[in-house]
Amino acid sequence: MKETRLGDFEEVILLLVGILDQEAYAFKIAEEFESQTQRSVSIGAVHSTLNRLGEKGFLTSEMGESTAERGGRRKRIYSITASGQRVLQESRDFKVSLWNQFPAFASGNLKIEWLNL
Amino acid sequence: MKRKDKHITPPRLAERFLLWFLKKDLAEEVLGDLDEKFYSQLKNKSPGKAKRNYWFQVFNYLRPFALRAFSTTNKNWSNFLTMLKHNLLISYRSFMRFKSTFFINLTGLASGLACTLLIYLWVMDEMKIDRFHEKGDRIYQVLQHNRWGSSVQTMTNTPRLLASSLKEEFPEVESSVSLNDDWADTPGVVSFGETKFKAKDNQIDPDFFKIFSFQLLQGNPNNPIPDTKSVLISDQLAARLFEEGADVVGQTIHWDQYDMSGNYLITGVFEAPPTHSSKQFELLFSEELLVERNSDYAGWESNNDRTFLLLKEGTDIAAFNSKIENYLKTKNDGEKNTLSVQNFGDRYLYGTFVNAQQAGGRIVYVRLFSLVALFILIIACINFMNLTTAKASNRMKEIGVKKAIGAGRKTLASQYLSESLLLSFTGLLVALVITNLFLAQFNEITGKQLVFTLDPTLVIGALVITIITGLLSGSYPALYLSGLHPIAMLKGKLKQTFGDTWLRKGLVIFQFAISAVLITAVMVVSQQIDYIQSKNLGYNKDNLLRFDYVTTEDPGFRAFIQELKAIPGIVNAAGAVDDATGEHGGTSNVSWSGKEAGSRTYFEILNVGYDFLETMNIEMAAGRSYETGRDIGGRSKIIFNEAAIKAMGLKDPIGKTVQIQGEQSEVIGVVKDFHFQSMYKNIAPLYIQLGKELEYTLIRLRPENISETMAAIEEVYDAHLDGVPFDFTFIDADYDNMYRQEQSISALARYFAGIAIVISCLGLLGLTAFTAEKRSKEVGIRKVLGSGSWRIVYLLSSDFTRMILVALMIGLPISYFVAKEWIQNFAYGIDLGISQFLFVAILTIGIAWLAVGLQTMKAANANPVDALRSE
């Protein structure tokens, strides 16, 4: 059976694919990642993750149109599958449930403590 | 769509590389993405940056999902693998066939690489000393250039007031600190309850932790030592004195050391100085404590502190130096001493000054050893190349056959290159093993704690050296032999070209010239050290025992000395503060009748107890020594050395009075000059005074029954100083310690010279074997025609002898100049004569003959029929 768990980086990439919609191809996703997280990433790393997500069944892809910046080459556009959406949902629900179990976070005291520091 | 930077394109090579490894069906999208990335980079970055980023992106596609299958179904790949396997097999067979060559090559290369690795570790370690301070580029130490007579002596001692007044008067100085380093030489005893330890101390100003990157773990960073009753201790000392988890700050400890003794409150804890710090201390007291206990320390006349400045960013050091050069004159009329600053990080390696100018220091040794490492490596590589190329011509038939069957030049070249690379990498592996094995011993010689870690520079350096050696030595057979005509090779009709032999001879000459230089170095250094150790010092350093007795109480110490003297195995015993193997304080505040105005002769000071001169066997030139009961401690009665009397120009000095730091002192005696400093220095003017409080005890033992005497001493010691560990040293060992650096260098030089000559000889041995084999027919014919064995030996070795003579003619003059330069560092050096160099020459030739002798004898004694019958 294929591994179907979602890693941290994978989750971010998956979300970015959703955000970018029709513009979700490796270069754009890498750019978006850098601007959203302020961390640098190589296109190869993103591509490799996209590939893995595709193997897990969370993404599908098809070749899109070409532009002049790409020297007339086409791009591969990714989109989230139903199982991809489900796994994102599960991941969020799990974290929210964890947050709710943590009293300091739940009561909102922590923020004040931070300010006092 | 037109773009104005259309001419700038992604690097073609990177693209080709990408296409080479990338899966075919990914090519379109990946190339498109990378192009887009590249052009988006171009918008706000330089083309160079964009290209570098492109390469970066390409390398990041080296991931399993993107790689195309390099399977064995790929024809080129499988062919390559088969050939590689074949080449390795052939290499292995040829190693086995020429076992001695293989062995010589491997030993030579491995030991050369191992030497280089060890020296590299040592050099890297030396470079790290005192370089860990964050503000290191702005920390400067003030040096005082002291002029007496015609010579200039540079010292680090400066007046206590200098640090604060430089900071006040010069805007370039951000902050300053004075330390009292020399006290750190003599440890004191720290005690808490029943626990007692010897520890090293230092005295500091408040800004100490702001300038240096020593870490204050607990305590007030602005003023860690608030008063003279406070002390900071290191975390290591705290761990030894107190139980784990105990609150250290606020505890009171007792400290015993000369006039610094007393109870102190711990106000902070600092992290023990790292190994790469030249300053080591476990307790830090306030600098004010010194002034409080020792009123002399306050004035401009006293030079007992080290001054460190933190200069502001962008300070012009040359300009600052010229500003402070004559600063002392503004404080002291007629002051001739000048000041300058030197970067603190540079002090360790560039510490030597001649005529107030920076002139070498440890960096000389660092450079010297780097050079030695380089030479040894070159010698090893030369050997490797020489032997490989010489042997390669033996394999002409093999090449000929291969070419005749149709092997291409590329295939042959790659075979030879892979063979020599294989050998050089085996050499590297053996070298790594050797380095690890000998690291402990190397550490012992050098007194360091080196660890072999694979840092990136080392790994890359070693790989590059190995690959270069492998490629260079493999290139001759690979490129030259593979290009020859196969038929000529099969017939064996090739003559060695003129350039070829000359290259080989030149390399041998070079090797032996270097070996001769190294042998000379070993000889000169060890002769100089022997000379120092056997020189008449003016005192007798044998059977002199010393241990620390820190006391402020006179009657107790007197009783202690009396009890010691009662032991039959003891000739004499005395207390003292200063000794003849360490640093001393000094002053120029001495005046006498007839002193020229403006003369500022600097006097070293030796603080001693009664019977010190007698115990040391220092002879009196005139007058008398100190006598118990007649003389009291202090400066009221002093003894000069002959050098001082000469410098002062006093006639008939006994009974005259001189003024020292404002006090009247009667001259009661003059001692004959003795060496109280290292041999690098001339015997300086010195006065001896009777110390009030003593730091250590000196005992002259009878040479017989030393162990019994030692037991008796320890009994007396324990009765008086219960709880303080009985640590003693012998003065002759202390004296040798002064030259530890020279000794470790001499030991290292001996090893390295040994290795260099061994490697050179291995090479020579290999070459002789090769020549003897090449000329075996000639030798056979000569023998048949009636030539004697000795004639043949002469024939075969005269060539090599000539080469070695040329090597000596090159090497010896070089070694003469280098040796002379080094000897000049010493005020008392050996003479360099013809005989030493003659010895080196004979030794080198002798060793070389030994190496070739066996081979030539074998060739000369062989039955000529064996040589002639073959073919």
Side-chain angles (χ1 to χ4, degrees), chain B residues 241-522:
Chain B
L241 277 178
F242 301 99
E243 281 170 25
E244 209 182 315
D247 227 351
V248 176
V249 175
Q251 300 279 10
T252 303
I253 51 163
H254 186 77
W255 173 247
D256 267 319
Q257 188 199 45
Y258 193 34
D259 51 12
M260 306 278 296
S261 307
N263 288 325
Y264 294 92
L265 179 75
I266 300 175
T267 54
V269 177
F270 58 88
E271 197 178 67
T275 357
H276 285 130
S277 171
S278 61
K279 298 196 179 305
Q280 296 290 338
F281 44 83
E282 293 163 279
L283 294 100
L284 289 173
F285 296 93
S286 169
E287 189 70 46
E288 291 303 320
L289 177 65
L290 276 179
V291 184
E292 186 183 290
R293 300 281 169 106
N294 229 320
S295 56
D296 302 350
Y297 278 40
W300 280 102
E301 299 283 342
S302 141
N303 287 309
N304 283 296
D305 288 86
R306 313 296 195 271
T307 305
F308 295 88
L309 308 175
L310 182 68
L311 297 183
K312 285 187 179 135
E313 212 96 48
T315 303
D316 180 355
I317 297 306
F320 184 68
N321 269 338
S322 59
K323 265 168 98 175
I324 64 164
E325 184 178 357
N326 291 313
Y327 180 72
L328 286 179
K329 215 176 267 175
T330 63
K331 303 292 165 192
N332 250 344
D333 266 348
E335 178 70 64
K336 276 186 186 161
N337 287 1
T338 55
L339 297 178
S340 70
V341 294
Q342 188 185 14
N343 184 280
F344 173 60
D346 291 343
R347 286 281 312 150
Y348 180 73
L349 287 179
Y350 302 87
T352 309
F353 280 76
V354 172
N355 281 327
Q357 294 299 313
Q358 206 281 317
R362 275 187 86 93
I363 188 70
V364 174
Y365 293 114
V366 170
R367 289 198 187 123
L368 208 66
F369 276 120
S370 308
L371 212 62
V372 167
L374 186 71
F375 279 151
I376 289 184
L377 191 68
I378 291 175
I379 291 182
C381 292
I382 288 175
N383 250 354
F384 188 78
M385 282 175 224
N386 254 349
L387 284 177
T388 323
T389 50
K391 278 290 164 198
S393 37
N394 263 350
R395 293 167 68 179
M396 273 191 203
K397 288 223 168 90
E398 181 191 324
I399 302 172
V401 170
K402 279 195 170 170
K403 286 198 91 167
I405 317 175
R409 203 173 162 175
K410 254 191 195 164
T411 328
L412 285 173
S414 76
Q415 181 202 328
Y416 278 99
L417 286 180
S418 62
E419 185 171 323
S420 60
L421 278 176
L422 183 71
L423 193 50
S424 65
F425 272 96
T426 320
L428 178 65
L429 281 183
V430 178
L432 288 178
V433 174
I434 295 177
T435 311
N436 268 317
L437 284 179
F438 283 92
L439 198 59
Q441 207 183 350
F442 186 70
N443 276 337
E444 202 169 299
I445 298 169
T446 54
K448 285 195 179 287
Q449 288 125 34
L450 303 175
V451 240
F452 189 66
T453 45
L454 292 174
D455 64 291
T457 11
L458 181 71
V459 172
I460 293 171
L463 285 182
V464 167
I465 289 169
T466 316
I467 291 174
I468 288 179
T469 314
L471 287 183
L472 274 182
S473 51
S475 59
Y476 168 78
L479 302 178
Y480 175 66
L481 291 181
S482 64
L484 295 176
H485 200 273
I487 296 177
M489 282 203 277
L490 284 173
K491 281 189 170 170
K493 268 191 179 166
L494 283 172
K495 274 189 185 160
Q496 295 216 320
T497 56
F498 180 72
D500 194 32
T501 26
W502 262 108
L503 181 68
R504 207 165 294 160
K505 277 185 183 171
L507 291 176
V508 170
I509 289 170
F510 182 66
Q511 278 184 330
F512 273 86
I514 293 172
S515 301
V517 172
L518 289 176
I519 294 177
T520 323
V522 172

Side-chain angles (χ1 to χ4, degrees), chain B residues 18-248:
Chain B
L18 181 73
L19 287 175
W20 174 71
F21 70 75
L22 197 66
K23 269 186 194 152
K24 285 279 173 286
D25 48 347
L26 285 179
E28 181 173 1
E29 52 184 292
V30 170
L31 277 176
D33 280 349
L34 292 196
D35 269 19
E36 229 181 307
K37 175 80 188 172
F38 179 76
Y39 289 117
S40 91
Q41 288 262 312
L42 267 188
K43 276 177 202 149
N44 45 21
K45 295 217 169 86
S46 71
K49 270 215 173 113
K51 283 190 180 171
R52 267 200 299 283
N53 182 272
Y54 193 91
W55 274 103
F56 167 77
Q57 300 291 357
V58 165
F59 277 113
N60 261 292
Y61 261 101
L62 283 168
R63 288 162 194 276
F65 87 97
L67 290 184
R68 76 183 147 116
F70 287 103
S71 65
T72 39
T73 51
N74 184 320
K75 255 191 177 169
N76 280 328
W77 187 244
S78 86
N79 193 23
F80 177 74
L81 273 185
T82 320
M83 279 314 287
L84 188 71
K85 235 155 96 187
H86 169 79
N87 284 346
L88 289 181
L89 186 70
I90 294 280
S91 303
Y92 174 72
R93 282 181 187 158
S94 87
F95 291 160
M96 289 298 109
R97 192 163 143 220
F98 305 107
K99 275 199 194 79
S100 61
T101 320
F102 172 65
F103 182 71
I104 287 172
N105 251 343
L106 197 64
T107 326
L109 192 65
S111 42
L113 280 173
C115 275
T116 317
L117 282 175
L118 285 174
I119 294 178
Y120 173 86
L121 289 175
W122 182 80
V123 168
M124 283 299 128
D125 195 73
E126 287 283 289
M127 306 284 242
K128 271 190 215 154
I129 304 266
D130 284 340
R131 298 282 182 185
F132 62 91
H133 298 288
E134 276 163 39
K135 298 174 188 160
D137 53 332
R138 295 195 287 135
I139 304 176
Y140 283 81
Q141 179 163 18
V142 182
L143 304 174
Q144 186 170 176
H145 308 291
N146 175 21
R147 294 155 202 278
W148 47 272
S150 58
S151 69
V152 183
Q153 197 183 10
T154 296
M155 51 185 201
T156 53
N157 310 41
T158 54
R160 158 91 182 104
L161 296 171
L162 190 64
S164 51
S165 56
L166 280 179
K167 188 188 168 187
E168 269 166 36
E169 294 178 37
F170 293 94
E172 292 93 332
V173 183
E174 190 174 307
S175 55
S176 64
V177 62
S178 51
L179 311 180
N180 180 21
D181 269 346
D182 73 339
W183 286 69
D185 277 353
T186 42
V189 175
V190 58
S191 48
F192 177 74
E194 290 303 300
T195 338
K196 287 183 181 182
F197 288 108
K198 282 193 177 175
K200 283 186 169 184
D201 66 323
N202 208 334
Q203 284 73 32
I204 60 163
D205 277 341
D207 279 346
F208 180 76
F209 289 100
K210 291 185 181 161
I211 295 179
F212 297 102
S213 293
F214 298 113
Q215 299 301 319
L216 190 64
L217 301 174
Q218 291 177 49
N220 173 6
N222 289 321
N223 192 10
I225 313 174
D227 52 45
T228 57
K229 301 249 180 312
S230 308
V231 65
L232 302 176
I233 64 171
S234 77
D235 52 350
Q236 285 173 6
L237 184 65
R240 289 198 294 168
L241 277 178
F242 301 99
E243 281 170 25
E244 209 182 315
D247 227 351
V248 176

